[in-house]
Amino acid sequence: MKGYFFTIMFVLAGVAAKGQKEDQLFGPSELPAARKGVILNINGDYDIPGGDMAKRFGESYRIGPAIMYKTKSNFIFGAKFDFIIGSTVKEDSLMINIRDRYSTQSTHLYEFINGNGERIGVPVYERGYAVGLAFGKIISFTKRHPDDGLMIMATGGFVQHKINIYDRDKTVQQLTGDYRKGYDRLTNGAFIEGYAGYTHFSKTVLINYTIGLDAMIGFTQGRRDYLYDVMRSDTKQRTDILFGLRAGWFIPMFKRKSEDLLFE
């Protein structure tokens, strides 16, 4: 029994001595440091409207690019652009003065009688965009993965939306040229947005992502002096809100150490 004990102790001592020599050769092991550099990313949102936005539109989507810079302290700042896309319009009075009174109205299609006496359908959509400057920080959960964690971002900028009346063949005379502007409910103004979500950066280019929740509040105003269907101006102050589920994919261009390239 004593022989087995001394044998095991000898082996363990040899392993410890070998590990000590390796540490002396390569240096003591260190925890990885947070990386810095430019980040290109594409974001996608599924949004539920609130405030005045919910009175005009239904659920919508946002998609767009962003360019950011991440510091070694995990602060992030940059610019982003989102397209706003939706297919549900709730304006009951929209084009009521020119559409077919017997049409079967839906949330995205209105029917008209054209110059040939034919009933045609004209689809309507929600369209818009938001552009802004963003600033935030990644709060890391572990020293082993300093680039990963909870990302909190705040964005401020300009948002615009309207009803896109898609009369492709221009068969409805009342919607040609500038007449369409009397129905589109163009609205724009300033917005602020907050985002919180989990963020992951891997050592590869492909597996870098974020997923979380955001909320946008737009302090907007109608920009049409006269609406033909309701015979009044549209310059009212609005509060447009979007509650979103966001997912994003990153292409990081971090600075890499020479030893990372050597031992990768």
Side-chain angles (χ1 to χ4, degrees):
M1 181 65 69
K2 290 183 180 179
Y4 286 120
F5 176 77
F6 285 115
T7 300
I8 293 172
M9 292 298 294
F10 178 78
V11 171
L12 292 175
V15 170
K18 182 180 178 182
Q20 186 176 6
K21 289 180 180 179
E22 288 180 350
D23 284 344
Q24 292 174 354
L25 178 62
F26 295 101
S29 60
E30 297 181 358
L31 293 173
R35 294 168 288 177
K36 68 176 182 178
V38 175
I39 302 171
L40 303 177
N41 68 295
I42 185 79
N43 296 310
D45 275 71
Y46 168 73
D47 292 320
I48 299 296
D52 292 320
M53 200 76 159
K55 301 174 184 177
R56 178 168 294 174
F57 299 115
E59 61 188 32
S60 60
Y61 303 90
R62 277 180 286 160
I63 185 170
I67 180 168
M68 303 286 179
Y69 185 84
K70 178 179 174 295
T71 70
K72 281 189 174 181
S73 302
N74 274 347
F75 286 102
I76 296 181
F77 57 90
K80 57 175 294 207
F81 183 93
D82 286 333
F83 292 101
I84 302 173
I85 304 168
S87 59
T88 300
V89 177
K90 298 180 178 180
E91 288 279 353
D92 293 335
S93 59
L94 182 64
M95 300 182 290
I96 194 170
N97 61 322
I98 58 174
R99 69 186 188 221
D100 180 13
R101 68 171 64 182
Y102 300 109
S103 66
T104 55
Q105 177 188 345
S106 69
T107 58
H108 64 277
L109 186 68
Y110 290 80
E111 293 182 340
F112 299 85
I113 303 297
N114 65 12
N116 298 323
E118 302 169 329
R119 179 177 290 170
I120 60 169
V122 174
V124 296
Y125 305 101
E126 174 189 2
R127 292 292 184 267
Y129 66 89
V131 58
L133 299 177
F135 178 81
K137 182 177 174 62
I138 296 174
I139 302 172
S140 180
F141 298 135
T142 170
K143 294 181 179 179
R144 291 286 180 185
H145 302 281
D147 297 314
D148 301 353
L150 176 65
M151 182 166 71
I152 299 176
M153 297 284 291
T155 305
F158 177 83
V159 62
Q160 177 170 295
H161 58 78
K162 68 176 183 178
I163 299 173
N164 181 31
I165 305 168
Y166 188 58
D167 182 19
R168 183 185 61 182
D169 299 324
K170 296 181 173 56
T171 54
V172 182
Q173 291 295 322
Q174 297 94 326
L175 295 176
T176 58
D178 289 339
Y179 287 114
R180 192 177 306 183
K181 295 180 181 180
Y183 301 100
D184 67 5
R185 272 54 170 185
L186 178 68
T187 303
N188 56 43
F191 81 88
I192 56 174
E193 179 185 52
Y195 171 77
Y198 177 74
T199 301
H200 172 74
F201 289 98
S202 70
K203 291 184 178 180
T204 69
V205 177
L206 295 178
I207 310 175
N208 305 281
Y209 62 87
T210 184
I211 184 168
L213 301 174
D214 71 359
M216 173 193 287
I217 303 177
F219 305 99
T220 61
Q221 183 178 0
R223 301 299 179 179
R224 296 306 186 199
D225 293 330
Y226 193 76
L227 301 179
Y228 298 135
D229 44 11
V230 293
M231 295 182 291
R232 59 172 173 79
S233 64
D234 183 29
T235 57
K236 181 182 176 181
Q237 298 284 339
R238 296 168 52 91
T239 302
D240 294 322
I241 302 174
L242 290 175
F243 300 102
L245 172 64
R246 180 195 298 178
W249 177 58
F250 300 129
I251 303 176
M253 291 181 281
F254 292 141
K255 235 178 163 180
R256 305 180 71 181
K257 297 179 181 179
S258 58
E259 57 265 31
D260 291 339
L261 297 174
L262 181 63
F263 294 107
E264 188 176 53

